[in-house]
């Protein structure tokens, strides 16, 4: 596995690059948000999750993001902020809004209806915000 042979500084750079490509967000903003609270944790996320795990996975990005949505949805409120991030990443990876909702519905079978409902509501809010911020078409007022 290529990512495992990288040096620590190379892993951090590779992780930041992957984070930005996957989420569309600057890695520095994520790291800065943890700088005063848990600076090593941010580095661990970049190195382990985004360089090591994502760097050596046989799964394509769309599948990985689908799995992340299901796992975060199953965790419920504990993972709500990460679910929002992963919904954006999944949409960027080509997962449709309908597929995201269906993933959340399927989570309800194993994790329970409250977890599924919360995930569906999060998905709706996140995709609505993304659609409105990326839309170049003006919305017509409803009559």
């Amino acid at each position: 596995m290529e990512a495992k042979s990288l040096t620590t500084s190379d892993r951090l750079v590779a992780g930041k690059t992957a984070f930005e490509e996957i989420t569309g967000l600057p890695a520095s903003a994520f790291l800065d948000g943890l700088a005063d609270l848990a600076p090593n944790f941010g580095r661990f996320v970049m190195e382990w999750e985004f360089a090591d795990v994502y760097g050596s996975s046989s799964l394509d990005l769309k599948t990985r993001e689908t799995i992340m949505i299901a796992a975060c949805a199953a965790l419920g409120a504990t993972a709500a902020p990460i679910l929002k991030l992963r919904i954006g990443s999944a949409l960027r990876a080509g997962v449709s809004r309908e597929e995201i909702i269906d993933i959340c519905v399927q989570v309800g079978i194993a994790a329970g209806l409250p977890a599924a409902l919360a995930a569906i509501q999060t998905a709706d809010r996140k995709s609505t915000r993304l659609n409105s911020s990326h839309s170049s078409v003006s919305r017509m007022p409803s009559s």
Side-chain angles (χ1 to χ4, degrees):
M1 303 283 167
E2 182 182 325
K4 300 280 185 205
S5 64
L6 296 174
T7 66
T8 298
S9 63
D10 289 341
R11 287 173 62 224
L12 182 58
V13 170
K16 286 178 177 180
T17 301
F19 178 90
E20 291 176 353
E21 289 172 358
I22 292 165
T23 66
L25 302 170
S28 59
F30 178 83
L31 293 169
D32 290 348
L34 292 170
D36 292 334
L37 186 60
N40 287 335
F41 188 74
R43 182 176 51 81
F44 296 152
V45 168
M46 293 298 157
E47 292 173 352
W48 183 69
E49 180 179 354
F50 288 95
D52 295 347
V53 176
Y54 270 44
S56 63
S57 178
S58 64
L59 301 173
D60 63 50
L61 183 58
K62 185 176 178 179
T63 302
R64 287 181 279 171
E65 292 306 316
T66 297
I67 292 167
M68 291 302 296
I69 289 173
C72 289
L75 289 170
T78 304
I82 303 304
L83 177 60
K84 291 176 190 174
L85 175 72
R86 292 307 191 159
I87 288 169
S89 298
L91 290 167
R92 288 175 51 86
V95 180
S96 71
R97 182 179 183 279
E98 182 180 9
E99 289 171 319
I100 291 169
I101 299 300
D102 285 344
I103 292 165
C104 296
V105 169
Q106 292 298 309
V107 164
I109 295 169
L113 296 178
L117 181 59
I120 289 167
Q121 291 169 335
T122 298
D124 183 51
R125 285 190 300 271
K126 180 69 179 179
S127 63
T128 299
R129 255 183 292 171
L130 284 172
N131 287 341
S132 65
S133 68
H134 294 299
S135 177
S136 59
V137 178
S138 298
R139 294 182 186 229
M140 297 294 291
S142 55
S143 353

